[in-house]
Amino acid sequence: MQKTLAEIAELIGGEVVGDKTLVITGVNGLQEAKAGELTFVSNSKYAPIAKETKASAIIISRDMSIPGKTVILTDSPSIAFTEVISLFASSGKSKFKGIHASAVISEDASIGNNVSIGPNVIIEDGVSVGEGCAIYGGVFIGHKTVIGKNCIFYPNVVIMDRSKIGDNVIIHSGTVIGSDGFGYEQVDGKHKKIPQIGIVVIEDDVEIGANVTIDRARFDKTFIGRGTKIDNLVQVAHNVSIGEDCIIISQVGISGSVNIGKNAILAGQVGVVGHLTIGEGAIVTAQSAVMKSIPPFTKALGSPARAYADQMKINACAQRLPSYVKEINELKKQVKELKEQIDNGSKAKNN
Amino acid sequence: MQKTLAEIAELIGGEVVGDKTLVITGVNGLQEAKAGELTFVSNSKYAPIAKETKASAIIISRDMSIPGKTVILTDSPSIAFTEVISLFASSGKSKFKGIHASAVISEDASIGNNVSIGPNVIIEDGVSVGEGCAIYGGVFIGHKTVIGKNCIFYPNVVIMDRSKIGDNVIIHSGTVIGSDGFGYEQVDGKHKKIPQIGIVVIEDDVEIGANVTIDRARFDKTFIGRGTKIDNLVQVAHNVSIGEDCIIISQVGISGSVNIGKNAILAGQVGVVGHLTIGEGAIVTAQSAVMKSIPPFTKALGSPARAYADQMKINACAQRLPSYVKEINELKKQVKELKEQIDNGSKAKNN
Amino acid sequence: MQKTLAEIAELIGGEVVGDKTLVITGVNGLQEAKAGELTFVSNSKYAPIAKETKASAIIISRDMSIPGKTVILTDSPSIAFTEVISLFASSGKSKFKGIHASAVISEDASIGNNVSIGPNVIIEDGVSVGEGCAIYGGVFIGHKTVIGKNCIFYPNVVIMDRSKIGDNVIIHSGTVIGSDGFGYEQVDGKHKKIPQIGIVVIEDDVEIGANVTIDRARFDKTFIGRGTKIDNLVQVAHNVSIGEDCIIISQVGISGSVNIGKNAILAGQVGVVGHLTIGEGAIVTAQSAVMKSIPPFTKALGSPARAYADQMKINACAQRLPSYVKEINELKKQVKELKEQIDNGSKAKNN
């Protein structure tokens, strides 16, 4: 893959300052780039580092300048660079083209145009796969699952029966969609399994990391809204509903029937107790344990999670606890002395 | 699948109030049900919602009534409904029938009657699979593993060599049984691997969620007792022993050689330090860090985990810490003033 | 597998006290061993248990004696025993010999001598596998990945494209190497994916547990240093660098661009916020939340993590919080009484 700076500038709507005929062979970070590569600076505070880069050219914003360097001026260097990366990296993606002979695909399944299906993939009865999907080796797709267009499922993803998945959904390796929810009832002191007959629904533009688990609903559906991004090793229990454009960071655990509004952010290792609501735009910071519902557009922290400002005050106090204990002991001593002084004074007066 | 109310009532030992010839085509939750479907109410507090359901009939307990609705009276609506679900949902399960041609099964393995083995399954030498098991695509079963009757292993489960698994065990996708325990000894400043040559033993009626890891013992066995249920993404380290009928919720981590009594409950994201004992019937609430053994039939909470009542008192105090700090400061001020008053008083007297 | 005590003693440089012709058929723990088996005692405090073992012989250190038992004297019983285990257990490992016909291996891949490749393995273009590697069934190796000598990859491991893996690396089942880092930028209120075009580099002698996730870098590399050991279900985000000989225990989560020095230990369920540094030899205890960098050779604890001694003092105070609150209330009462006494005294004097 080779492109001139002029070709790249045209792609991103930018303007070259310097040699337009320069040939670019790859893209890289500011500090990692080598000769022949293109990089970018998103923020003028990195300009000093940018002067030292070995990259042959730099994408910068229109209000910046880096003397002595060949640059492309754009409105948004970061977004422009992402476009250029797609150009160079796309040829590196290891998608199988076509359908591998070893894939086991039900005759009853419907496979769209330009779908790639890797070795050892299993696609059961009644599955529908939309056009342009790339399904890597070892993926399992259970019966009657419906998949939209242009999805990417990486190796060994498991999607159990009757799931509904939108367009442009990316699911990383080892993730399991539609395993049974965790539900039992006590019968004679034993745990009797409650059937989990609902499904999982994942809307368009969702990305799900590696080794995530999303359980099917008892009835109805477990739901992931459009544009939501889920990191690795997250647990989403049965009947959870996550709104649009949420960010769920690694190792978060969301218990059954939790309802999360759109644009919410749950940081790493957060746990949420069942049946709670986390409001639109709410933020829960790392490792918090959510034991009460969180109002919209608020920030929560702690175990149990409380309003951010309250918990920060508590943390500040907790940090000084040993000195407060000293103060209490000092006070006890002083009060005892005062008491003795007064008692002695009284005695003196009485004598 | 279609059944009349009379047929369903007979199955669950119930009594129809209304049209016995009504045809039921499916089952669903109270709020999700549509015409033609059967639902249930487990608790009279849901009676107002039950009046609004679109379901054609409702299973209720003998002491309830929902005027204007066709119902089946039973002793235990929830358990009865679970039986009905099994009736309707069983036809929906995507078990492969028979043994798929692509499965790689050692000639030395013993496979019982009515076993289903999906595509790309790998079964090594000396494995024994009991009758009625359903093994989905992509499952790996290591050599000399013994599996009882009527187990279900979902896609891409891995069971390493010499594991022993009872009857009616369900293991969800991506779970790994019998990986090496995490054990090293320091030799010249390097971590030298300690061989893990024990096994994993899983008794009857255990269910294990998706992407769980259960390590083999160093010697002897890692043990999961009869009827215990384990949720997704749980870690069970080497030589752990979990008693019968326990509930281990998602993302719990149990360190090496921990011993858990029967009927214990570990809530989500709990961590347990190595070599501790958690007594029979003990409950550890979510996100607690167990750093001392927990006595039987007690409830523990916190990080580090303490007796529930103690920790709740500590939490209540912690929540009010900032106001206590104000009180301490107020006390310091008052004591200082008192001291000055007394000192002034003494001086006045002395003058 | 059968060996005489004399043969075993020679292997480990030990000295038999008792019958050298005794035939050993297996190895086991002190309490689990049966007749015919060899066991070991690492510490003289276990001598009383050792007297009760059913093992036919015991490896002990040169300064110990167990009257009435046949023993092998060595310098380091634990290390010696590990060597003996390798002798007996190696024949039990279920490695496929040779290359299974069902494996899908690119013609463009380079496979070393004595490599075993199990059923349904997928090896893409440009992959290089060093001599002596054992690759179990269902493993996926993405294009241009380079793998050293004598590695073991257990079933269903996924290694995405362009990863670099050293010699003697062990990766347990279900682990995913090289999934995309979790990175998005806000464009018009939506999360736009930032391409992750870096790689994962794993040095020699690393062992990685089951269902671990290690993301590829945005640029450059995510790095695991020589000899580091990672337990099950750990999350390593993009651009993390972990030094040599670290110990990372189960369910730890390490956020993006964290830098961990050599010989550090992160205990179970620890979380580390992005871009921090954990110094060489630092220890972070279980379930801590690291929110500031940790200096070298220090121990940290708590959520947020603080220096060990500080946090232990805080914990001790926190435990006694309810009694401190009582003391504050008692002080308030006493101060109030003193005030009244003084005021009354003043009034008395003034009257």
Side-chain angles (χ1 to χ4, degrees):
Chain A
M1 169 68 63
Q2 292 199 339
K3 293 274 172 195
T4 64
L5 273 192
E7 287 170 316
I8 292 169
E10 198 188 334
L11 171 77
I12 62 177
E15 181 190 342
V16 178
V17 179
D19 179 4
K20 292 180 185 181
T21 66
L22 201 75
V23 172
I24 296 299
T25 57
V27 288
N28 218 332
L30 205 49
Q31 293 176 295
E32 298 87 3
K34 298 176 292 289
E37 290 182 331
L38 177 67
T39 189
F40 81 109
V41 181
S42 59
N43 194 311
S44 56
K45 75 177 174 186
Y46 296 118
I49 306 174
K51 277 179 199 161
E52 308 299 323
T53 185
K54 297 199 176 77
S56 294
I58 312 173
I59 300 178
I60 62 176
S61 63
R62 293 188 194 277
D63 55 357
M64 286 178 65
S65 72
I66 300 177
K69 289 285 179 188
T70 301
V71 299
I72 305 181
L73 302 173
T74 60
D75 294 332
S76 172
S78 172
I79 294 169
F81 190 64
T82 292
E83 279 186 63
V84 179
I85 285 176
S86 304
L87 191 72
F88 280 89
S90 66
S91 60
K93 273 289 172 200
S94 59
K95 292 172 194 169
F96 280 85
K97 296 302 169 202
I99 295 175
H100 196 273
S102 66
V104 176
I105 303 173
S106 165
E107 290 181 10
D108 186 29
S110 154
I111 310 293
N113 292 327
N114 297 316
V115 168
S116 293
I117 298 179
N120 306 327
V121 168
I122 302 171
I123 297 181
E124 293 195 330
D125 295 352
V127 170
S128 164
V129 180
E131 65 182 49
C133 287
I135 300 174
Y136 280 70
V139 169
F140 177 97
I141 303 179
H143 77 278
K144 293 185 186 160
T145 293
V146 176
I147 296 162
K149 298 177 198 167
N150 301 317
C151 293
I152 304 174
F153 301 159
Y154 286 102
N156 293 358
V157 163
V158 171
I159 300 174
M160 296 302 294
D161 52 288
R162 296 177 288 130
S163 302
K164 291 191 194 313
I165 296 179
D167 298 341
N168 311 313
V169 171
I170 300 173
I171 305 180
H172 290 276
S173 291
T175 284
V176 177
I177 308 291
S179 38
D180 280 356
F182 191 71
Y184 304 91
E185 54 195 340
Q186 288 276 336
V187 180
D188 302 333
K190 303 274 176 278
H191 306 295
K192 190 174 158 60
K193 184 174 174 69
I194 297 172
Q196 307 288 314
I197 61 173
I199 62 170
V200 176
V201 174
I202 297 173
E203 290 197 331
D204 297 348
D205 304 326
V206 167
E207 180 163 8
I208 301 173
N211 285 344
V212 168
T213 55
I214 301 181
D215 281 350
R216 66 177 56 243
R218 176 173 183 189
F219 304 115
D220 204 21
K221 58 179 181 286
T222 304
F223 178 82
I224 315 290
R226 186 202 45 72
T228 281
K229 312 297 183 185
I230 298 177
D231 200 355
N232 300 336
L233 290 167
V234 167
Q235 151 75 352
V236 179
H238 51 178
N239 293 86
V240 166
S241 174
I242 303 180
E244 298 185 353
D245 297 315
C246 290
I247 292 284
I248 312 291
I249 307 210
S250 181
Q251 294 178 323
V252 164
I254 306 172
S255 302
S257 302
V258 166
N259 200 305
I260 301 179
K262 66 181 179 180
N263 293 309
I265 298 174
L266 273 57
Q269 297 184 332
V270 162
V272 185
V273 163
H275 294 271
L276 301 182
T277 296
I278 294 181
E280 177 184 345
I283 296 173
V284 185
T285 67
Q287 244 189 22
S288 298
V290 179
M291 304 200 173
K292 285 185 204 170
S293 290
I294 308 280
F297 304 107
T298 61
K299 195 170 174 183
L301 170 65
S303 179
R306 302 184 181 96
Y308 189 78
D310 293 348
Q311 183 64 41
M312 288 304 276
K313 273 183 215 152
I314 292 171
N315 283 359
C317 293
Q319 176 145 14
R320 289 190 294 263
L321 256 184
S323 69
Y324 293 135
V325 170
K326 274 188 199 151
E327 291 182 16
I328 291 173
N329 288 334
E330 179 59 26
L331 277 167
K332 282 162 69 180
K333 204 179 120 200
Q334 290 179 5
V335 167
K336 199 181 161 203
E337 285 169 5
L338 286 180
K339 213 168 175 175
E340 284 168 4
Q341 264 184 281
I342 291 172
D343 287 352
N344 290 340
S346 302
K347 276 182 211 157
K349 216 163 44 175
N350 292 342
N351 287 355
Chain B
M1 169 68 62
Q2 292 199 339
K3 294 274 172 193
T4 64
L5 273 192
E7 288 171 315
I8 292 170
E10 197 187 333
L11 172 76
I12 62 177
E15 183 189 342
V16 178
V17 179
D19 179 3
K20 292 181 184 180
T21 65
L22 202 75
V23 172
I24 296 299
T25 57
V27 287
N28 217 332
L30 205 49
Q31 293 177 295
E32 298 87 2
K34 298 175 293 289
E37 289 183 331
L38 177 68
T39 189
F40 82 109
V41 181
S42 60
N43 193 310
S44 56
K45 75 177 175 187
Y46 296 119
I49 308 173
K51 278 180 198 161
E52 308 298 323
T53 185
K54 296 199 177 77
S56 294
I58 312 173
I59 300 177
I60 63 175
S61 64
R62 294 188 194 275
D63 56 357
M64 286 178 66
S65 73
I66 301 177
K69 289 285 179 187
T70 301
V71 299
I72 305 180
L73 301 173
T74 61
D75 294 334
S76 172
S78 171
I79 294 169
F81 190 64
T82 292
E83 278 186 63
V84 180
I85 285 175
S86 304
L87 192 72
F88 280 90
S90 66
S91 59
K93 273 290 170 200
S94 59
K95 292 171 194 168
F96 280 85
K97 297 301 169 204
I99 294 176
H100 195 274
S102 65
V104 176
I105 303 174
S106 164
E107 290 181 10
D108 186 29
S110 154
I111 309 294
N113 292 325
N114 296 316
V115 168
S116 294
I117 298 179
N120 306 327
V121 168
I122 301 170
I123 297 182
E124 293 195 330
D125 294 352
V127 169
S128 164
V129 179
E131 65 181 49
C133 288
I135 300 174
Y136 280 70
V139 169
F140 176 96
I141 303 179
H143 77 279
K144 294 188 187 158
T145 292
V146 176
I147 296 163
K149 299 177 197 168
N150 300 317
C151 294
I152 305 174
F153 300 160
Y154 286 102
N156 292 358
V157 163
V158 172
I159 300 173
M160 295 302 294
D161 52 289
R162 296 177 288 129
S163 301
K164 291 192 193 314
I165 295 179
D167 298 340
N168 310 312
V169 171
I170 301 172
I171 305 180
H172 289 275
S173 291
T175 284
V176 177
I177 308 291
S179 37
D180 279 355
F182 191 71
Y184 304 91
E185 54 194 339
Q186 289 274 336
V187 181
D188 302 331
K190 303 275 176 276
H191 306 296
K192 189 173 159 59
K193 185 175 174 69
I194 297 173
Q196 307 288 314
I197 62 172
I199 62 170
V200 176
V201 174
I202 297 173
E203 291 197 329
D204 297 347
D205 305 326
V206 167
E207 181 163 6
I208 300 172
N211 284 342
V212 168
T213 56
I214 301 180
D215 281 350
R216 66 177 56 243
R218 177 173 182 188
F219 304 115
D220 204 21
K221 58 178 181 287
T222 304
F223 178 82
I224 315 289
R226 187 202 45 71
T228 281
K229 311 298 183 184
I230 298 177
D231 200 355
N232 301 335
L233 290 167
V234 166
Q235 150 75 351
V236 179
H238 51 177
N239 293 85
V240 166
S241 174
I242 303 180
E244 298 186 352
D245 298 315
C246 291
I247 292 284
I248 313 290
I249 307 206
S250 181
Q251 295 178 324
V252 164
I254 305 173
S255 301
S257 302
V258 166
N259 199 305
I260 301 179
K262 66 181 179 179
N263 294 308
I265 299 173
L266 272 57
Q269 297 184 332
V270 161
V272 185
V273 163
H275 295 271
L276 300 183
T277 296
I278 293 181
E280 176 184 345
I283 296 172
V284 184
T285 66
Q287 243 188 23
S288 298
V290 179
M291 303 200 173
K292 285 186 204 169
S293 290
I294 309 279
F297 304 108
T298 60
K299 194 171 174 183
L301 169 66
S303 179
R306 301 184 182 97
Y308 189 77
D310 293 347
Q311 184 64 43
M312 288 305 276
K313 274 183 215 153
I314 292 171
N315 282 359
C317 293
Q319 176 144 14
R320 288 190 293 263
L321 255 185
S323 69
Y324 294 135
V325 170
K326 274 190 199 150
E327 290 182 17
I328 292 173
N329 289 334
E330 179 59 26
L331 277 167
K332 283 163 69 181
K333 204 179 120 199
Q334 289 178 6
V335 167
K336 198 180 162 203
E337 284 169 6
L338 286 179
K339 212 166 176 177
E340 285 167 3
Q341 264 184 280
I342 291 172
D343 287 352
N344 289 342
S346 302
K347 277 181 209 156
K349 216 165 41 174
N350 291 342
N351 288 354
Chain C
M1 170 68 63
Q2 293 199 339
K3 292 274 172 194
T4 64
L5 274 192
E7 288 171 315
I8 293 169
E10 198 187 335
L11 172 77
I12 62 177
E15 182 190 341
V16 179
V17 179
D19 180 3
K20 292 181 185 181
T21 65
L22 203 75
V23 172
I24 295 300
T25 57
V27 288
N28 218 331
L30 206 48
Q31 293 177 295
E32 298 86 3
K34 298 176 292 290
E37 290 182 333
L38 177 68
T39 188
F40 81 109
V41 181
S42 59
N43 194 309
S44 55
K45 74 177 174 186
Y46 297 118
I49 307 174
K51 278 181 199 160
E52 307 298 323
T53 186
K54 296 200 176 77
S56 294
I58 313 173
I59 299 177
I60 62 175
S61 63
R62 294 188 194 275
D63 56 359
M64 285 178 66
S65 72
I66 301 177
K69 290 285 178 187
T70 301
V71 300
I72 304 180
L73 301 173
T74 60
D75 293 333
S76 172
S78 172
I79 294 169
F81 190 64
T82 292
E83 279 185 64
V84 180
I85 285 175
S86 304
L87 191 72
F88 280 90
S90 65
S91 59
K93 272 290 172 200
S94 60
K95 291 172 196 169
F96 280 86
K97 297 301 169 202
I99 294 175
H100 196 274
S102 65
V104 176
I105 303 173
S106 164
E107 290 180 11
D108 186 30
S110 154
I111 309 294
N113 292 326
N114 297 316
V115 168
S116 294
I117 299 180
N120 306 326
V121 168
I122 301 170
I123 297 181
E124 293 195 331
D125 295 351
V127 169
S128 164
V129 179
E131 65 181 47
C133 286
I135 300 175
Y136 280 69
V139 169
F140 176 97
I141 302 178
H143 77 278
K144 293 187 186 158
T145 292
V146 176
I147 296 163
K149 299 177 197 168
N150 300 318
C151 293
I152 305 175
F153 300 161
Y154 286 101
N156 292 358
V157 163
V158 172
I159 300 173
M160 295 302 294
D161 52 288
R162 295 177 289 128
S163 301
K164 291 193 194 313
I165 296 178
D167 297 341
N168 311 313
V169 171
I170 301 173
I171 305 180
H172 290 275
S173 292
T175 284
V176 177
I177 308 291
S179 38
D180 279 356
F182 191 72
Y184 303 91
E185 55 195 340
Q186 289 275 336
V187 181
D188 302 333
K190 303 275 175 277
H191 306 296
K192 189 174 159 60
K193 185 174 173 69
I194 296 173
Q196 306 288 314
I197 61 172
I199 62 170
V200 176
V201 174
I202 297 173
E203 291 196 329
D204 297 347
D205 305 325
V206 167
E207 180 163 7
I208 300 173
N211 284 343
V212 168
T213 56
I214 301 180
D215 281 350
R216 67 177 57 242
R218 177 173 182 189
F219 303 116
D220 205 20
K221 59 178 180 289
T222 304
F223 178 82
I224 315 290
R226 186 202 45 72
T228 281
K229 312 297 182 183
I230 298 178
D231 200 355
N232 300 335
L233 290 166
V234 167
Q235 151 75 351
V236 179
H238 51 178
N239 294 85
V240 166
S241 174
I242 303 180
E244 298 187 353
D245 297 315
C246 290
I247 293 283
I248 312 290
I249 308 212
S250 182
Q251 295 179 322
V252 164
I254 305 172
S255 302
S257 302
V258 165
N259 200 305
I260 301 179
K262 66 181 179 180
N263 294 309
I265 299 174
L266 272 58
Q269 297 185 331
V270 162
V272 185
V273 163
H275 295 271
L276 300 183
T277 296
I278 294 181
E280 176 183 346
I283 297 172
V284 184
T285 66
Q287 245 189 22
S288 298
V290 179
M291 304 200 172
K292 284 186 205 171
S293 290
I294 308 279
F297 304 108
T298 61
K299 195 170 173 183
L301 169 66
S303 179
R306 301 184 182 95
Y308 189 78
D310 293 347
Q311 183 64 42
M312 288 305 275
K313 272 183 215 153
I314 292 171
N315 283 358
C317 294
Q319 176 143 16
R320 289 190 293 264
L321 255 185
S323 69
Y324 293 136
V325 170
K326 274 188 200 152
E327 290 182 16
I328 292 173
N329 288 334
E330 178 60 26
L331 278 168
K332 281 161 69 180
K333 204 179 119 199
Q334 289 179 6
V335 167
K336 199 181 161 205
E337 285 170 6
L338 286 179
K339 212 167 177 175
E340 285 167 3
Q341 265 184 280
I342 292 172
D343 287 352
N344 289 342
S346 303
K347 278 181 208 156
K349 215 163 44 175
N350 291 343
N351 287 354

